[in-house]
Amino acid sequence: MDEHHRRQSHEVREYVRLKSLLGDFGHQMPPASRKQLEEQVGALEEQWAAYQRRMLRVTVRVRLDNGFVLDDVPEEAFASA
């Protein structure tokens, strides 16, 4: 796998952390806490979008048992092990 990710800023890491928290526990949070978390995520969305625009494409080369080769396949086509 050829990975071409750029270094993540603090804001990008915080966006990923808060978005995950919201996705996993948002439905259990009190409304005021959920709203505050949604606002924090919203404030970081611009940095997240900029990071995604700067990311280079990740591709995968897979050689299957029968000798068939998949080359230059987008990483989204595969699940990580």
Side-chain angles (χ1 to χ4, degrees):
M1 175 186 262
D2 295 323
E3 239 179 297
H4 306 286
H5 290 284
R6 305 247 180 205
R7 190 169 176 90
Q8 291 181 345
S9 68
H10 170 73
E11 290 82 7
V12 168
R13 288 190 308 273
E14 187 68 1
Y15 174 86
V16 171
R17 186 184 74 81
L18 294 175
K19 187 74 170 174
S20 177
L21 182 65
L22 183 61
D24 292 343
F25 300 106
H27 65 284
Q28 299 173 350
M29 292 179 157
S33 296
R34 184 175 54 246
K35 182 174 174 30
Q36 181 181 10
L37 185 56
E38 288 170 346
E39 289 171 355
Q40 290 174 329
V41 168
L44 295 169
E45 283 181 348
E46 187 176 324
Q47 288 89 349
W48 174 249
Y51 171 74
Q52 286 187 310
R53 285 191 299 271
R54 288 190 316 266
M55 280 182 27
L56 298 176
R57 197 174 104 187
V58 175
T59 60
V60 179
R61 179 182 176 101
V62 179
R63 184 178 307 274
L64 303 174
D65 288 343
N66 64 358
F68 186 72
V69 176
L70 297 173
D71 197 14
D72 202 28
V73 179
E75 77 171 317
E76 297 85 29
F78 297 93
S80 60

